[in-house]
Amino acid sequence: MVKYMTAGESHGKGLTIIVEGFPAGFAISEDGIQEDLARRQRGYGRGGRQLIEKDRAELLSGVRHGLTMGSPISMWLENKDFANWHKVMSTEPVEEPGNTVTRLRAGHADMPGTIKYGQSDVRNILERASARETAARVAAGSVAKHFLREFGIEVRSHIICIGGIWANYDHPVDWARVVESPVQCVDPEAEAEMIKLIDKAKEDGDTVGGMVEVVATGLPIGLGSHVHYERKLDARIALALMSIQACKAVAIGNGWEAAELLGSQYHDILQPIEDNGHAANQPYPSASGPWHRDTNRTGGTEGGMSTGMPIVARFAIKPIATLAKPLPSVDLVTGKTVQAHYERSDVCNVPPAGVIGEAAVAFVLADAFLEKFGGDHIEETRRNFEAYQKTIGPRSWPVAAG
Ligand SMILES: Cc1cc2nc3c(=O)[nH]c(=O)nc-3n(C[C@H](O)[C@H](O)[C@H](O)COP(=O)(O)O)c2cc1C
């Protein structure tokens, strides 16, 4: 239903974003998009690039007087750093562009990319493989978030692990605390340890990975479908998250723990909501419908459909491949052993990965929402949504004749 496309290189002129398929009539602002872009730039352990960039996506089309028009939304996000790279990244031929890279980095796109695309300069691969592209994804995801907020759906994230240090936390997460944390972690003790570890990795010329949890609240029952692989909501979320640079594993809810638990320990028991106020005590914001669950180990999907409980998705980010103390590798041109290439790089990319994960999940949810409720104008979508919400409840079954 909705799709987006991004273009642009890490040190090129900038990033182009086209978002297509959203209905007319809902509000989008550059300031709103910038909030997410600014959060993506923060995070303890980032490299010098973030001091140069002040990301702001300029809306070029698809929005008029603050409201979407139903036409493609295009945006332009300038790379301020291009001023330092205009010769190296010139789109016109130049003599001696400089900054050629031939020393391959294990763990980056360098080796398979240069071989596949027939390149002798790794820069022609690394510039696009770079996670600078995620600024464009965050801008696209922010459009999806603006849309979802029309229906009370919020997508947030927090960091649950950095380098083997795990946060202690419960749902609902204290989001105000997460936003204040330099590592976007709700647990202050874990946060202090995480920061120490990032400092140590930096001192040692090393890098450190971790795990993000994305939480989407306020969802109706029934987004996605059980009928076909590519319609399953959990599968779509997994694809969107796995495509994030450096992501190596995705789980929905307590997906990894599911391998260890018995059925009686894992499944989220359905209970009727009683008049005694039980629902108000549940640990998650209320699911739509006349029932509730005390747990959400399944992470808000069953059979590839949303259950009405929060969607919870976790993903693991590997340590960055560009080490200040480079690993041994091979030179693309000479074939000889060398130290891998190093250029200005992050030490820890886990906190920004949270914001990118939110964008990825928000886009999938907006897509599934529009698939179910349609609408060319937001009010049409709202009417369809509200009519459906009224149908949720226990069914009365026909009694078999005779
Ligand atoms: C927010 C973010 C920032 C990143 N920053 C860097 C970086 O500074 N240096 C680096 O080598 N890789 C960085 N990466 C990871 C690479 O982009 C990624 O490893 C590379 O594109 C290869 O893709 P793969 O790891 O998914 O196989 C970053 C990833 C994310 C999500």
Side-chain angles (χ1 to χ4, degrees):
M1 299 301 295
V2 286
K3 53 190 176 199
Y4 72 92
M5 188 171 251
T6 74
E9 279 80 38
S10 181
H11 300 97
K13 289 178 187 167
L15 299 159
T16 307
I17 306 120
I18 300 182
V19 179
E20 215 267 321
F22 280 98
F26 69 97
I28 292 190
S29 71
E30 285 182 8
D31 285 350
I33 295 169
Q34 198 183 355
E35 276 175 34
D36 281 332
L37 288 171
R39 284 200 302 125
R40 192 202 74 95
Q41 286 200 261
R42 289 203 290 265
Y44 202 79
R46 304 306 304 278
R49 177 74 185 268
Q50 305 314 320
L51 301 173
I52 299 170
E53 302 298 345
K54 291 275 169 291
D55 288 342
R56 186 171 178 95
E58 185 188 350
L59 284 162
L60 299 179
S61 72
V63 180
R64 183 159 178 253
H65 304 156
L67 294 178
T68 56
M69 296 190 285
S71 50
I73 297 167
S74 59
M75 291 177 268
W76 167 248
L77 208 160
E78 187 191 356
N79 286 335
K80 299 256 184 278
D81 206 11
F82 179 66
N84 305 314
W85 291 76
H86 60 93
K87 195 168 174 200
V88 179
M89 292 306 293
S90 168
T91 51
E92 295 296 312
V94 290
E95 277 176 29
E96 297 177 24
N99 274 13
T100 302
V101 179
T102 60
R103 289 174 293 141
L104 302 168
R105 288 166 302 175
H108 218 292
D110 302 2
M111 189 279 282
T114 45
I115 299 301
K116 176 177 166 66
Y117 286 90
Q119 299 296 324
S120 53
D121 182 356
V122 180
R123 186 157 302 287
N124 285 342
I125 301 303
L126 71 85
E127 282 288 332
R128 179 64 187 166
S130 155
R132 176 74 188 143
E133 187 262 349
T134 61
R137 288 201 210 195
V138 166
S142 190
V143 172
K145 282 184 178 178
H146 278 74
F147 168 77
L148 292 170
R149 279 193 199 116
E150 292 282 329
F151 303 94
I153 299 167
E154 286 289 342
V155 186
R156 302 182 179 96
S157 70
H158 64 129
I159 304 311
I160 60 172
C161 173
I162 287 181
I165 296 162
W166 291 88
N168 232 325
Y169 67 97
D170 285 314
H171 284 276
V173 173
D174 177 356
W175 297 113
R177 157 84 190 122
V178 171
V179 172
E180 277 168 19
S181 164
V183 284
Q184 307 289 286
C185 177
V186 74
D187 173 356
E189 279 174 34
E191 172 193 286
E193 292 302 309
M194 288 169 177
I195 288 174
K196 261 194 239 161
L197 188 72
I198 295 168
D199 286 342
K200 174 85 173 64
K202 186 171 185 184
E203 210 178 288
D204 296 346
D206 215 329
T207 57
V208 59
M211 198 180 292
V212 176
E213 184 174 86
V214 179
V215 182
T217 52
L219 290 149
I221 297 171
L223 301 187
S225 173
H226 62 298
V227 302
H228 219 326
Y229 71 94
E230 85 275 21
R231 292 182 61 190
K232 291 187 180 235
L233 192 64
D234 46 359
R236 290 155 70 176
I237 290 170
L239 170 65
L241 291 175
M242 187 59 93
S243 73
I244 294 172
Q245 289 83 339
C247 175
K248 293 307 275 185
V250 180
I252 307 295
N254 293 75
W256 281 300
E257 294 89 328
E260 297 171 358
L261 297 175
L262 295 169
S264 54
Q265 298 167 321
Y266 175 78
H267 294 292
D268 306 310
I269 295 167
L270 277 157
Q271 301 168 66
I273 286 180
E274 278 141 23
D275 291 334
N276 61 9
H278 195 156
N281 300 330
Q282 66 185 29
Y284 293 92
S286 175
S288 41
W291 35 69
H292 78 98
R293 310 184 198 222
D294 284 339
T295 59
N296 186 24
R297 283 185 277 269
T298 193
T301 72
E302 284 173 332
M305 293 168 281
S306 58
T307 62
M309 295 293 279
I311 299 269
V312 181
R314 294 174 176 177
F315 62 101
I317 288 285
K318 74 184 184 193
I320 282 167
T322 312
L323 275 67
K325 193 173 164 199
L327 295 170
S329 190
V330 171
D331 189 281
L332 179 66
V333 174
T334 66
K336 298 262 165 59
T337 300
V338 286
Q339 287 205 315
H341 172 68
Y342 177 75
E343 70 185 37
R344 185 187 55 201
S345 197
D346 297 333
V347 173
C348 178
N349 56 347
V350 186
V355 187
I356 302 158
E358 289 169 28
V361 171
F363 217 87
V364 171
L365 294 179
D367 188 42
F369 196 94
L370 279 165
E371 194 177 84
K372 174 116 186 80
F373 301 113
D376 294 307
H377 190 280
I378 191 86
E379 292 313 323
E380 190 182 357
T381 313
R382 204 182 308 284
R383 279 196 299 277
N384 296 342
F385 170 67
E386 284 170 1
Y388 169 75
Q389 288 295 80
K390 287 192 189 124
T391 70
I392 295 172
R395 299 285 188 266
S396 47
W397 296 97
V399 179

